[in-house]
């Protein structure tokens, strides 16, 4: 049966080591403008550099912008506030473009390994990878619209947000290629586009009920959240799309998988 004591003598049968190095640099700037606290605008520009992409795309520049309108600061809102039904209102919108850097190191370089399995036991040097000179950032574009409300003298607040995000040039690892190349797969490729959209609603009630309990102040409040989210694969290479399909595999050791099927422009996840 299996060994149960961690104090038993052991024997090292193999050993290996590896090293990697990557570098990154970020620079960002922001401008903010506000007019009478009613209208505010923010613009951000970020530039990121990394050694994990190919020479063609070392740098990524990602702008973002947002705006907010504090509706309750308008003069005509005073009459609405006096009713106590609606005491605060604000509208915000934002747009952003950002990137995700690859996770592996030196994939854009040509690497070599040695082996003693050459002719008559000679040591040989052979290519260990296919360099990905055009490998680049995964890009994401996102819109957000939101509305904030305060009601019943701010005893009840509500926040609703709508979002729409598109991820392009998805990073997919292990892309299969013909074995005639000397390799069975590429470390990663930029391929595919995915859309993620939905909404979320948050309701928060503070001190909706208060009283004295055992001589001390007692109050009750609560919050509740609703949300809906949809993912869709908009574009993808047939070979990669097929690799996302999985058959049901039961395993007692936790290495099994659930049955999954991915189709273009259909809900995923």
């Amino acid at each position: 049966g299996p060994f149960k004591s961690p104090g038993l003598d052991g024997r090292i049968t193999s050993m290996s080591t590896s090293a990697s190095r990557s570098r990154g640099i970020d620079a960002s700037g922001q401008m903010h403008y506000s007019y009478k606290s009613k209208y505010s605008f923010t613009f951000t520009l970020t530039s990121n550099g990394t050694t994990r992409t190919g020479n063609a795309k070392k740098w990524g520049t990602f702008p973002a912008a947002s705006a907010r309108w504090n509706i309750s600061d308008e003069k005509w809102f005073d009459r609405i506030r006096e009713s106590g039904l609606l005491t605060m209102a604000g509208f915000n919108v934002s747009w952003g473009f950002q990137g995700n850097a690859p996770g592996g190191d030196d994939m854009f370089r040509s690497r070599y390994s040695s082996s003693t399995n050459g002719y008559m036991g000679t040591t040989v040097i052979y290519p260990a990878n296919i360099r990905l000179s055009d490998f680049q950032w995964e890009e994401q574009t996102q819109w957000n619209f939101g509305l904030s409300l305060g009601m019943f003298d701010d005893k009840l607040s509500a926040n609703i947000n709508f979002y729409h995000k598109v991820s392009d040039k998805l990073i997919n690892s292990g892309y299969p290629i013909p074995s005639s190349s000397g390799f069975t797969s590429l470390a990663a490729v930029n391929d595919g586009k995915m859309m993620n959209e939905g909404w979320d609603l948050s309701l928060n009630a503070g001190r909706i009920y208060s009283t004295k309990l055992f001589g001390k102040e007692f109050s009750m409040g609560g919050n509740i959240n609703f949300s809906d989210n949809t993912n869709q694969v908009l574009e993808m290479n047939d070979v990669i799309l097929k690799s996302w399909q999985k058959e049901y595999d039961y395993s007692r050791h936790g290495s099994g998988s659930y049955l999954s099927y991915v189709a273009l422009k259909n809900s995923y996840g």
Side-chain angles (χ1 to χ4, degrees), residues 219-240:
S219 62
M220 293 181 60
N223 59 75
I224 185 171
N225 297 284
F226 303 92
S227 64
D228 180 73
N229 178 72
T230 301
N231 290 320
Q232 287 186 6
V233 179
L234 303 179
E235 300 174 7
M236 185 161 288
N237 183 292
D238 289 340
V239 176
I240 298 176

Side-chain angles (χ1 to χ4, degrees), residues 201-263:
L201 171 64
S202 175
L203 300 174
N204 182 63
R207 297 180 64 88
I208 57 176
Y209 174 76
S210 62
T211 185
K212 288 286 186 178
L213 184 64
F214 302 112
K216 295 184 179 180
E217 186 72 23
F218 175 78
S219 62
M220 293 181 60
N223 59 75
I224 185 171
N225 297 284
F226 303 92
S227 64
D228 180 73
N229 178 72
T230 301
N231 290 320
Q232 287 186 6
V233 179
L234 303 179
E235 300 174 7
M236 185 161 288
N237 183 292
D238 289 340
V239 176
I240 298 176
L241 192 64
K242 186 178 180 180
S243 69
W244 284 28
Q245 321 295 343
K246 293 182 180 180
E247 297 290 339
Y248 175 75
D249 177 28
Y250 172 75
S251 175
R252 294 182 179 180
H253 303 289
S255 59
S257 62
Y258 291 101
L259 176 67
S260 64
Y261 177 76
V262 183

Side-chain angles (χ1 to χ4, degrees), residues 53-57 107-108 131-137 169 188-190:
T53 57
N55 293 326
K57 200 70 173 179
M107 289 189 288
F108 68 96
R131 62 181 298 181
L132 306 177
S133 56
D134 294 328
F135 198 44
Q136 55 186 289
W137 296 81
K169 300 175 183 176
V189 294
N190 292 107

Side-chain angles (χ1 to χ4, degrees), residues 32-41 68 70 73-74:
H32 179 76
Y33 174 77
S34 178
Y35 178 73
K36 294 184 177 180
S37 298
K38 297 179 183 179
Y39 319 103
S40 59
F41 306 90
R68 179 175 175 83
N70 291 319
D73 286 344
E74 299 287 352

Side-chain angles (χ1 to χ4, degrees), residues 67-159:
R68 179 175 175 83
W69 176 26
N70 291 319
I71 305 172
S72 51
D73 286 344
E74 299 287 352
K75 290 184 178 180
W76 52 262
F77 194 86
D78 291 341
R79 293 182 179 180
I80 301 176
R81 185 184 292 108
E82 289 173 359
S83 68
L85 179 63
L86 186 63
T87 51
M88 188 278 291
F91 175 76
N92 60 275
V93 58
S94 63
W95 171 86
F97 182 63
Q98 63 182 27
N100 291 328
D105 297 322
D106 296 328
M107 289 189 288
F108 68 96
R109 300 180 186 273
S110 294
R111 300 196 304 270
Y112 297 87
S113 297
S114 62
S115 173
T116 57
N117 295 326
Y119 178 69
M120 297 184 67
T122 57
T123 300
V124 296
I125 303 296
Y126 64 93
N129 74 310
I130 296 179
R131 62 181 298 181
L132 306 177
S133 56
D134 294 328
F135 198 44
Q136 55 186 289
W137 296 81
E138 180 179 292
E139 299 174 343
Q140 297 178 346
T141 305
Q142 181 166 336
W143 283 93
N144 290 275
F145 302 88
L147 182 65
S148 302
L149 300 173
M151 296 167 283
F152 308 113
D153 294 324
D154 289 332
K155 291 181 179 179
L156 177 65
S157 62
N159 291 278

